[in-house]
PDB file of all heavy atoms in Angstrom:
ATOM      1  N   ARG B  54      20.825   4.137   9.799  1.00 97.00           N
ATOM      2  CA  ARG B  54      19.477   3.579   9.557  1.00 97.00           C
ATOM      3  C   ARG B  54      18.698   3.332  10.831  1.00 97.00           C
ATOM      4  O   ARG B  54      17.501   3.271  10.868  1.00 97.00           O
ATOM      5  CB  ARG B  54      19.614   2.259   8.775  1.00 97.00           C
ATOM      6  CG  ARG B  54      20.132   2.439   7.301  1.00 97.00           C
ATOM      7  CD  ARG B  54      20.757   1.258   6.709  1.00 97.00           C
ATOM      8  NE  ARG B  54      19.862   0.135   6.711  1.00 97.00           N
ATOM      9  CZ  ARG B  54      18.976  -0.064   5.688  1.00 97.00           C
ATOM     10  NH1 ARG B  54      18.945   0.786   4.713  1.00 97.00           N
ATOM     11  NH2 ARG B  54      18.186  -1.133   5.761  1.00 97.00           N
ATOM     12  N   ASN B  57      16.385   6.567  11.891  1.00 95.00           N
ATOM     13  CA  ASN B  57      14.983   6.782  11.421  1.00 95.00           C
ATOM     14  C   ASN B  57      14.170   5.490  11.460  1.00 95.00           C
ATOM     15  O   ASN B  57      13.032   5.447  10.953  1.00 95.00           O
ATOM     16  CB  ASN B  57      14.935   7.383   9.994  1.00 95.00           C
ATOM     17  CG  ASN B  57      15.378   6.459   8.956  1.00 95.00           C
ATOM     18  OD1 ASN B  57      15.967   5.379   9.260  1.00 95.00           O
ATOM     19  ND2 ASN B  57      15.197   6.781   7.655  1.00 95.00           N
ATOM     20  N   GLY B  58      14.711   4.475  12.146  1.00 95.00           N
ATOM     21  CA  GLY B  58      13.947   3.302  12.370  1.00 95.00           C
ATOM     22  C   GLY B  58      13.986   2.260  11.215  1.00 95.00           C
ATOM     23  O   GLY B  58      13.254   1.291  11.257  1.00 95.00           O
ATOM     24  N   LEU B  82       6.097   7.083  13.070  1.00 96.00           N
ATOM     25  CA  LEU B  82       5.601   7.781  12.014  1.00 96.00           C
ATOM     26  C   LEU B  82       6.069   9.290  12.155  1.00 96.00           C
ATOM     27  O   LEU B  82       6.541   9.897  11.127  1.00 96.00           O
ATOM     28  CB  LEU B  82       4.070   7.756  11.888  1.00 96.00           C
ATOM     29  CG  LEU B  82       3.442   8.580  10.726  1.00 96.00           C
ATOM     30  CD1 LEU B  82       4.035   8.047   9.394  1.00 96.00           C
ATOM     31  CD2 LEU B  82       1.988   8.446  10.741  1.00 96.00           C
ATOM     32  N   ARG B  85       9.685   9.436  11.161  1.00 97.00           N
ATOM     33  CA  ARG B  85       9.834   9.188   9.707  1.00 97.00           C
ATOM     34  C   ARG B  85       9.508  10.505   8.954  1.00 97.00           C
ATOM     35  O   ARG B  85      10.188  10.790   7.939  1.00 97.00           O
ATOM     36  CB  ARG B  85       8.900   8.071   9.249  1.00 97.00           C
ATOM     37  CG  ARG B  85       9.424   6.711   9.585  1.00 97.00           C
ATOM     38  CD  ARG B  85       8.303   5.692   9.465  1.00 97.00           C
ATOM     39  NE  ARG B  85       7.736   5.611   8.139  1.00 97.00           N
ATOM     40  CZ  ARG B  85       6.589   5.119   7.812  1.00 97.00           C
ATOM     41  NH1 ARG B  85       5.867   4.477   8.747  1.00 97.00           N
ATOM     42  NH2 ARG B  85       6.135   5.114   6.594  1.00 97.00           N
ATOM     43  N   VAL B  88      12.506  13.109   9.667  1.00 98.00           N
ATOM     44  CA  VAL B  88      13.925  12.785   9.325  1.00 98.00           C
ATOM     45  C   VAL B  88      13.919  12.399   7.927  1.00 98.00           C
ATOM     46  O   VAL B  88      13.290  11.381   7.494  1.00 98.00           O
ATOM     47  CB  VAL B  88      14.414  11.559  10.207  1.00 98.00           C
ATOM     48  CG1 VAL B  88      15.812  11.176   9.836  1.00 98.00           C
ATOM     49  CG2 VAL B  88      14.319  11.932  11.677  1.00 98.00           C
ATOM     50  N   ASN B  96      17.508   5.615  -5.071  1.00 98.00           N
ATOM     51  CA  ASN B  96      16.146   5.043  -4.841  1.00 98.00           C
ATOM     52  C   ASN B  96      14.992   5.981  -5.223  1.00 98.00           C
ATOM     53  O   ASN B  96      13.961   6.021  -4.552  1.00 98.00           O
ATOM     54  CB  ASN B  96      16.001   4.693  -3.365  1.00 98.00           C
ATOM     55  CG  ASN B  96      16.963   3.611  -2.852  1.00 98.00           C
ATOM     56  OD1 ASN B  96      17.511   2.919  -3.671  1.00 98.00           O
ATOM     57  ND2 ASN B  96      17.143   3.498  -1.589  1.00 98.00           N
ATOM     58  N   LEU B  97      15.108   6.602  -6.376  1.00 98.00           N
ATOM     59  CA  LEU B  97      14.033   7.316  -6.878  1.00 98.00           C
ATOM     60  C   LEU B  97      12.989   6.265  -7.407  1.00 98.00           C
ATOM     61  O   LEU B  97      13.251   5.171  -7.635  1.00 98.00           O
ATOM     62  CB  LEU B  97      14.508   8.199  -8.095  1.00 98.00           C
ATOM     63  CG  LEU B  97      15.390   9.397  -7.679  1.00 98.00           C
ATOM     64  CD1 LEU B  97      15.779  10.158  -8.915  1.00 98.00           C
ATOM     65  CD2 LEU B  97      14.703  10.333  -6.720  1.00 98.00           C
ATOM     66  N   PHE B  98      11.696   6.809  -7.518  1.00 97.00           N
ATOM     67  CA  PHE B  98      10.675   5.942  -8.084  1.00 97.00           C
ATOM     68  C   PHE B  98      10.745   5.992  -9.624  1.00 97.00           C
ATOM     69  O   PHE B  98      10.397   7.023 -10.200  1.00 97.00           O
ATOM     70  CB  PHE B  98       9.316   6.348  -7.523  1.00 97.00           C
ATOM     71  CG  PHE B  98       9.311   6.514  -5.995  1.00 97.00           C
ATOM     72  CD1 PHE B  98       8.817   7.646  -5.402  1.00 97.00           C
ATOM     73  CD2 PHE B  98       9.743   5.447  -5.287  1.00 97.00           C
ATOM     74  CE1 PHE B  98       8.805   7.717  -3.983  1.00 97.00           C
ATOM     75  CE2 PHE B  98       9.746   5.543  -3.830  1.00 97.00           C
ATOM     76  CZ  PHE B  98       9.283   6.749  -3.270  1.00 97.00           C
ATOM     77  N   PRO B  99      11.166   4.879 -10.271  1.00 96.00           N
ATOM     78  CA  PRO B  99      11.479   4.960 -11.683  1.00 96.00           C
ATOM     79  C   PRO B  99      10.237   5.134 -12.555  1.00 96.00           C
ATOM     80  O   PRO B  99      10.355   5.617 -13.667  1.00 96.00           O
ATOM     81  CB  PRO B  99      12.114   3.583 -11.934  1.00 96.00           C
ATOM     82  CG  PRO B  99      11.636   2.666 -10.877  1.00 96.00           C
ATOM     83  CD  PRO B  99      11.438   3.558  -9.685  1.00 96.00           C
ATOM     84  N   HIS B 100       9.040   4.842 -12.083  1.00 95.00           N
ATOM     85  CA  HIS B 100       7.854   4.969 -12.884  1.00 95.00           C
ATOM     86  C   HIS B 100       7.180   6.353 -12.770  1.00 95.00           C
ATOM     87  O   HIS B 100       6.174   6.583 -13.443  1.00 95.00           O
ATOM     88  CB  HIS B 100       6.818   3.886 -12.502  1.00 95.00           C
ATOM     89  CG  HIS B 100       6.363   3.979 -11.110  1.00 95.00           C
ATOM     90  ND1 HIS B 100       7.261   3.884  -9.997  1.00 95.00           N
ATOM     91  CD2 HIS B 100       5.150   4.292 -10.557  1.00 95.00           C
ATOM     92  CE1 HIS B 100       6.546   4.093  -8.857  1.00 95.00           C
ATOM     93  NE2 HIS B 100       5.310   4.292  -9.213  1.00 95.00           N
ATOM     94  N   LEU B 109       5.042  13.350  -4.336  1.00 98.00           N
ATOM     95  CA  LEU B 109       4.268  12.205  -3.795  1.00 98.00           C
ATOM     96  C   LEU B 109       4.089  12.371  -2.254  1.00 98.00           C
ATOM     97  O   LEU B 109       2.936  12.313  -1.812  1.00 98.00           O
ATOM     98  CB  LEU B 109       4.992  10.932  -4.068  1.00 98.00           C
ATOM     99  CG  LEU B 109       4.282   9.662  -3.612  1.00 98.00           C
ATOM    100  CD1 LEU B 109       2.893   9.475  -4.283  1.00 98.00           C
ATOM    101  CD2 LEU B 109       5.126   8.425  -3.898  1.00 98.00           C
ATOM    102  N   ARG B 113       0.524  12.802  -0.236  1.00 98.00           N
ATOM    103  CA  ARG B 113       0.087  11.661   0.545  1.00 98.00           C
ATOM    104  C   ARG B 113       0.234  11.825   2.052  1.00 98.00           C
ATOM    105  O   ARG B 113      -0.643  11.444   2.787  1.00 98.00           O
ATOM    106  CB  ARG B 113       0.697  10.406   0.130  1.00 98.00           C
ATOM    107  CG  ARG B 113       0.476   9.949  -1.238  1.00 98.00           C
ATOM    108  CD  ARG B 113      -0.983   9.508  -1.449  1.00 98.00           C
ATOM    109  NE  ARG B 113      -1.152   9.007  -2.811  1.00 98.00           N
ATOM    110  CZ  ARG B 113      -2.007   9.491  -3.703  1.00 98.00           C
ATOM    111  NH1 ARG B 113      -2.753  10.499  -3.371  1.00 98.00           N
ATOM    112  NH2 ARG B 113      -2.122   9.034  -4.884  1.00 98.00           N
ATOM    113  N   VAL B 114       1.389  12.382   2.475  1.00 97.00           N
ATOM    114  CA  VAL B 114       1.626  12.416   3.951  1.00 97.00           C
ATOM    115  C   VAL B 114       1.283  13.787   4.489  1.00 97.00           C
ATOM    116  O   VAL B 114       0.629  13.881   5.515  1.00 97.00           O
ATOM    117  CB  VAL B 114       3.112  12.105   4.202  1.00 97.00           C
ATOM    118  CG1 VAL B 114       3.380  12.076   5.717  1.00 97.00           C
ATOM    119  CG2 VAL B 114       3.518  10.761   3.600  1.00 97.00           C
ATOM    120  N   ARG B 158      13.462  15.471  -3.008  1.00 98.00           N
ATOM    121  CA  ARG B 158      12.372  14.641  -2.598  1.00 98.00           C
ATOM    122  C   ARG B 158      12.296  14.560  -1.096  1.00 98.00           C
ATOM    123  O   ARG B 158      11.256  14.690  -0.498  1.00 98.00           O
ATOM    124  CB  ARG B 158      12.430  13.264  -3.225  1.00 98.00           C
ATOM    125  CG  ARG B 158      11.323  12.306  -2.856  1.00 98.00           C
ATOM    126  CD  ARG B 158      11.428  11.036  -3.514  1.00 98.00           C
ATOM    127  NE  ARG B 158      12.612  10.242  -3.023  1.00 98.00           N
ATOM    128  CZ  ARG B 158      12.883   9.003  -3.353  1.00 98.00           C
ATOM    129  NH1 ARG B 158      12.143   8.366  -4.254  1.00 98.00           N
ATOM    130  NH2 ARG B 158      13.951   8.375  -2.794  1.00 98.00           N
ATOM    131  N   MET B 162       9.500  17.084   2.372  1.00 97.00           N
ATOM    132  CA  MET B 162       8.750  16.730   3.522  1.00 97.00           C
ATOM    133  C   MET B 162       9.011  17.762   4.675  1.00 97.00           C
ATOM    134  O   MET B 162       8.558  17.676   5.762  1.00 97.00           O
ATOM    135  CB  MET B 162       9.022  15.327   4.050  1.00 97.00           C
ATOM    136  CG  MET B 162       8.382  14.246   3.335  1.00 97.00           C
ATOM    137  SD  MET B 162       6.586  14.292   3.548  1.00 97.00           S
ATOM    138  CE  MET B 162       6.514  13.857   5.370  1.00 97.00           C
TER     139      MET B 162
ATOM    140  N   GLY C 162      15.373  -0.826  -1.860  1.00 97.00           N
ATOM    141  CA  GLY C 162      15.480   0.611  -1.804  1.00 97.00           C
ATOM    142  C   GLY C 162      14.144   1.352  -1.989  1.00 97.00           C
ATOM    143  O   GLY C 162      13.970   2.449  -1.515  1.00 97.00           O
ATOM    144  N   GLN C 163      13.269   0.762  -2.792  1.00 98.00           N
ATOM    145  CA  GLN C 163      11.992   1.391  -3.083  1.00 98.00           C
ATOM    146  C   GLN C 163      11.143   1.448  -1.713  1.00 98.00           C
ATOM    147  O   GLN C 163      10.523   2.430  -1.410  1.00 98.00           O
ATOM    148  CB  GLN C 163      11.195   0.659  -4.126  1.00 98.00           C
ATOM    149  CG  GLN C 163      11.818   0.659  -5.487  1.00 98.00           C
ATOM    150  CD  GLN C 163      11.784   2.032  -6.112  1.00 98.00           C
ATOM    151  OE1 GLN C 163      10.745   2.633  -6.274  1.00 98.00           O
ATOM    152  NE2 GLN C 163      12.984   2.524  -6.395  1.00 98.00           N
ATOM    153  N   GLU C 165      12.460   1.342   1.288  1.00 98.00           N
ATOM    154  CA  GLU C 165      13.196   2.158   2.238  1.00 98.00           C
ATOM    155  C   GLU C 165      12.925   3.656   1.916  1.00 98.00           C
ATOM    156  O   GLU C 165      12.779   4.428   2.833  1.00 98.00           O
ATOM    157  CB  GLU C 165      14.699   1.888   2.208  1.00 98.00           C
ATOM    158  CG  GLU C 165      14.950   0.490   2.655  1.00 98.00           C
ATOM    159  CD  GLU C 165      16.414   0.093   2.672  1.00 98.00           C
ATOM    160  OE1 GLU C 165      17.281   0.936   2.145  1.00 98.00           O
ATOM    161  OE2 GLU C 165      16.762  -0.954   3.261  1.00 98.00           O
ATOM    162  N   ALA C 166      12.821   3.948   0.640  1.00 98.00           N
ATOM    163  CA  ALA C 166      12.531   5.412   0.241  1.00 98.00           C
ATOM    164  C   ALA C 166      11.168   5.776   0.766  1.00 98.00           C
ATOM    165  O   ALA C 166      10.998   6.842   1.343  1.00 98.00           O
ATOM    166  CB  ALA C 166      12.589   5.560  -1.253  1.00 98.00           C
ATOM    167  N   THR C 167      10.138   4.981   0.502  1.00 98.00           N
ATOM    168  CA  THR C 167       8.809   5.318   0.961  1.00 98.00           C
ATOM    169  C   THR C 167       8.703   5.351   2.468  1.00 98.00           C
ATOM    170  O   THR C 167       8.072   6.193   3.049  1.00 98.00           O
ATOM    171  CB  THR C 167       7.692   4.329   0.428  1.00 98.00           C
ATOM    172  OG1 THR C 167       8.004   3.029   0.871  1.00 98.00           O
ATOM    173  CG2 THR C 167       7.656   4.327  -1.088  1.00 98.00           C
ATOM    174  N   TYR C 168       9.409   4.413   3.139  1.00 97.00           N
ATOM    175  CA  TYR C 168       9.440   4.420   4.596  1.00 97.00           C
ATOM    176  C   TYR C 168       9.986   5.773   5.134  1.00 97.00           C
ATOM    177  O   TYR C 168       9.400   6.390   5.969  1.00 97.00           O
ATOM    178  CB  TYR C 168      10.320   3.227   5.152  1.00 97.00           C
ATOM    179  CG  TYR C 168      10.511   3.283   6.625  1.00 97.00           C
ATOM    180  CD1 TYR C 168       9.657   2.583   7.478  1.00 97.00           C
ATOM    181  CD2 TYR C 168      11.525   3.968   7.195  1.00 97.00           C
ATOM    182  CE1 TYR C 168       9.793   2.616   8.824  1.00 97.00           C
ATOM    183  CE2 TYR C 168      11.678   4.047   8.570  1.00 97.00           C
ATOM    184  CZ  TYR C 168      10.799   3.314   9.399  1.00 97.00           C
ATOM    185  OH  TYR C 168      10.931   3.420  10.781  1.00 97.00           O
ATOM    186  N   SER C 169      11.120   6.180   4.578  1.00 97.00           N
ATOM    187  CA  SER C 169      11.770   7.375   5.085  1.00 97.00           C
ATOM    188  C   SER C 169      10.976   8.646   4.717  1.00 97.00           C
ATOM    189  O   SER C 169      11.223   9.692   5.311  1.00 97.00           O
ATOM    190  CB  SER C 169      13.244   7.441   4.712  1.00 97.00           C
ATOM    191  OG  SER C 169      13.327   7.607   3.312  1.00 97.00           O
ATOM    192  N   LEU C 170      10.121   8.541   3.703  1.00 98.00           N
ATOM    193  CA  LEU C 170       9.292   9.715   3.391  1.00 98.00           C
ATOM    194  C   LEU C 170       7.973   9.712   4.263  1.00 98.00           C
ATOM    195  O   LEU C 170       7.219  10.662   4.187  1.00 98.00           O
ATOM    196  CB  LEU C 170       8.899   9.683   1.910  1.00 98.00           C
ATOM    197  CG  LEU C 170       9.963   9.942   0.956  1.00 98.00           C
ATOM    198  CD1 LEU C 170       9.596   9.657  -0.487  1.00 98.00           C
ATOM    199  CD2 LEU C 170      10.359  11.486   1.027  1.00 98.00           C
ATOM    200  N   GLY C 171       7.776   8.715   5.047  1.00 97.00           N
ATOM    201  CA  GLY C 171       6.568   8.664   5.909  1.00 97.00           C
ATOM    202  C   GLY C 171       5.332   8.146   5.292  1.00 97.00           C
ATOM    203  O   GLY C 171       4.257   8.246   5.848  1.00 97.00           O
ATOM    204  N   LEU C 172       5.468   7.491   4.059  1.00 97.00           N
ATOM    205  CA  LEU C 172       4.302   6.987   3.419  1.00 97.00           C
ATOM    206  C   LEU C 172       3.721   5.780   4.143  1.00 97.00           C
ATOM    207  O   LEU C 172       4.418   4.982   4.632  1.00 97.00           O
ATOM    208  CB  LEU C 172       4.599   6.551   1.988  1.00 97.00           C
ATOM    209  CG  LEU C 172       4.175   7.503   0.880  1.00 97.00           C
ATOM    210  CD1 LEU C 172       5.043   8.809   0.941  1.00 97.00           C
ATOM    211  CD2 LEU C 172       4.377   6.889  -0.491  1.00 97.00           C
ATOM    212  N   ASP C 176      -0.366   3.569   0.856  1.00 97.00           N
ATOM    213  CA  ASP C 176       0.109   4.492  -0.166  1.00 97.00           C
ATOM    214  C   ASP C 176       1.364   3.839  -0.852  1.00 97.00           C
ATOM    215  O   ASP C 176       1.541   4.029  -2.046  1.00 97.00           O
ATOM    216  CB  ASP C 176       0.461   5.818   0.410  1.00 97.00           C
ATOM    217  CG  ASP C 176      -0.742   6.606   0.827  1.00 97.00           C
ATOM    218  OD1 ASP C 176      -1.828   6.358   0.283  1.00 97.00           O
ATOM    219  OD2 ASP C 176      -0.656   7.457   1.765  1.00 97.00           O
ATOM    220  N   ARG C 179       0.050   1.343  -3.335  1.00 97.00           N
ATOM    221  CA  ARG C 179      -0.759   1.888  -4.416  1.00 97.00           C
ATOM    222  C   ARG C 179       0.130   2.780  -5.319  1.00 97.00           C
ATOM    223  O   ARG C 179      -0.091   2.698  -6.542  1.00 97.00           O
ATOM    224  CB  ARG C 179      -1.882   2.789  -3.816  1.00 97.00           C
ATOM    225  CG  ARG C 179      -2.724   3.386  -4.924  1.00 97.00           C
ATOM    226  CD  ARG C 179      -3.757   4.367  -4.339  1.00 97.00           C
ATOM    227  NE  ARG C 179      -3.110   5.345  -3.481  1.00 97.00           N
ATOM    228  CZ  ARG C 179      -3.797   6.263  -2.807  1.00 97.00           C
ATOM    229  NH1 ARG C 179      -5.059   6.317  -2.846  1.00 97.00           N
ATOM    230  NH2 ARG C 179      -3.084   7.083  -2.061  1.00 97.00           N
ATOM    231  N   ASP C 180       0.974   3.583  -4.790  1.00 97.00           N
ATOM    232  CA  ASP C 180       1.691   4.573  -5.579  1.00 97.00           C
ATOM    233  C   ASP C 180       3.020   4.148  -6.091  1.00 97.00           C
ATOM    234  O   ASP C 180       3.579   4.584  -7.143  1.00 97.00           O
ATOM    235  CB  ASP C 180       1.921   5.888  -4.856  1.00 97.00           C
ATOM    236  CG  ASP C 180       0.555   6.546  -4.518  1.00 97.00           C
ATOM    237  OD1 ASP C 180      -0.337   6.543  -5.401  1.00 97.00           O
ATOM    238  OD2 ASP C 180       0.406   7.014  -3.379  1.00 97.00           O
ATOM    239  N   VAL C 181       3.666   3.163  -5.373  1.00 97.00           N
ATOM    240  CA  VAL C 181       5.042   2.875  -5.679  1.00 97.00           C
ATOM    241  C   VAL C 181       5.226   1.381  -6.095  1.00 97.00           C
ATOM    242  O   VAL C 181       5.766   1.057  -7.098  1.00 97.00           O
ATOM    243  CB  VAL C 181       5.965   3.239  -4.571  1.00 97.00           C
ATOM    244  CG1 VAL C 181       7.406   2.803  -4.832  1.00 97.00           C
ATOM    245  CG2 VAL C 181       5.923   4.796  -4.289  1.00 97.00           C
ATOM    246  N   PRO C 184       2.341  -0.279  -9.043  1.00 93.00           N
ATOM    247  CA  PRO C 184       2.523   0.184 -10.435  1.00 93.00           C
ATOM    248  C   PRO C 184       3.723  -0.396 -11.149  1.00 93.00           C
ATOM    249  O   PRO C 184       3.721  -0.708 -12.294  1.00 93.00           O
ATOM    250  CB  PRO C 184       2.670   1.703 -10.285  1.00 93.00           C
ATOM    251  CG  PRO C 184       1.987   2.063  -9.014  1.00 93.00           C
ATOM    252  CD  PRO C 184       2.177   0.865  -8.169  1.00 93.00           C
ATOM    253  N   GLN C 185       4.862  -0.583 -10.294  1.00 94.00           N
ATOM    254  CA  GLN C 185       6.040  -1.153 -10.890  1.00 94.00           C
ATOM    255  C   GLN C 185       5.943  -2.675 -11.040  1.00 94.00           C
ATOM    256  O   GLN C 185       6.357  -3.192 -11.969  1.00 94.00           O
ATOM    257  CB  GLN C 185       7.234  -0.818  -9.949  1.00 94.00           C
ATOM    258  CG  GLN C 185       7.606   0.597  -9.918  1.00 94.00           C
ATOM    259  CD  GLN C 185       8.852   0.817  -9.089  1.00 94.00           C
ATOM    260  OE1 GLN C 185       9.964   0.385  -9.414  1.00 94.00           O
ATOM    261  NE2 GLN C 185       8.676   1.470  -7.960  1.00 94.00           N
TER     262      GLN C 185
END
Side-chain angles (χ1 to χ4, degrees):
Chain B
R54 292 157 59 84
N57 69 349
L82 179 61
R85 284 162 57 196
V88 179
N96 297 344
L97 292 178
F98 306 130
H100 62 299
L109 183 63
R113 294 290 185 241
V114 184
R158 181 179 68 176
M162 281 295 291
Chain C
Q163 295 291 303
E165 296 182 349
T167 58
Y168 174 91
S169 62
L170 287 168
L172 258 69
D176 289 336
R179 181 187 52 184
D180 295 319
V181 176
Q185 293 184 67

